[in-house]
Amino acid sequence: MALVYSTDLGKTCPQCKQALSSCRCNKDLIYEKSDCLIISRETKGRKGKGVTLIKGIGGNEKELRDFAKILKQQCNSGGTVKDGVIEIQGDHRDSLKDFLIKKNFQVKISGS
């Protein structure tokens, strides 16, 4: 049976068995960059509250978090990075599209 929690370490990574705070497994993961960024809106699984998703930026976890911080400041909103996708709270598709086009990204809005 695998160690899931230790009072010494707290939660542990299932791959490297290190404490999550010192785990390097997911931090070294590099997400693939797409030619065109996809901006969409999703409410599924969020109790009706919508988030704006930005897919295809690419880079490692730290670079995505840094870029997400810039986008969150642009929208005056909260957000996070999950599995290589930046999530910004609220519907900010149009303002993010304009901002990303000014930063020389090709952008496509997906969904309605």
Side-chain angles (χ1 to χ4, degrees):
M1 181 168 248
L3 178 66
V4 177
Y5 186 86
S6 168
T7 54
D8 295 336
L9 301 175
K11 289 193 176 192
T12 58
C13 173
Q15 293 176 335
C16 65
K17 311 291 188 247
Q18 298 292 321
L20 283 180
S21 60
S22 61
C23 171
R24 303 300 293 162
C25 296
N26 290 333
K27 293 178 181 154
D28 294 336
L29 189 62
I30 296 177
Y31 297 101
E32 191 173 320
K33 184 177 181 179
S34 175
D35 293 338
C36 182
L37 300 183
I38 306 295
I39 300 176
S40 61
R41 181 175 178 266
E42 186 176 281
T43 58
K44 188 175 183 179
R46 293 177 169 80
K47 299 180 183 177
K49 296 181 179 179
V51 295
T52 303
L53 304 175
I54 300 104
K55 301 175 188 172
I57 291 178
N60 64 28
E61 194 74 23
K62 183 182 181 330
E63 292 171 340
L64 284 175
R65 275 190 264 119
D66 292 343
F67 194 67
K69 182 178 180 180
I70 294 168
L71 295 177
K72 290 187 296 185
Q73 289 173 346
Q74 179 68 24
C75 297
N76 293 321
S77 184
T80 188
V81 176
K82 291 183 183 174
D83 298 325
V85 178
I86 297 176
E87 298 181 2
I88 307 291
Q89 295 173 353
D91 186 3
H92 301 284
R93 290 177 290 180
D94 295 327
S95 62
L96 285 175
K97 179 182 177 184
D98 296 338
F99 178 75
L100 291 169
I101 288 173
K102 288 178 186 174
K103 296 288 183 184
N104 296 324
F105 284 99
Q106 283 191 327
V107 179
K108 186 182 288 186
I109 293 184
S110 172
S112 57

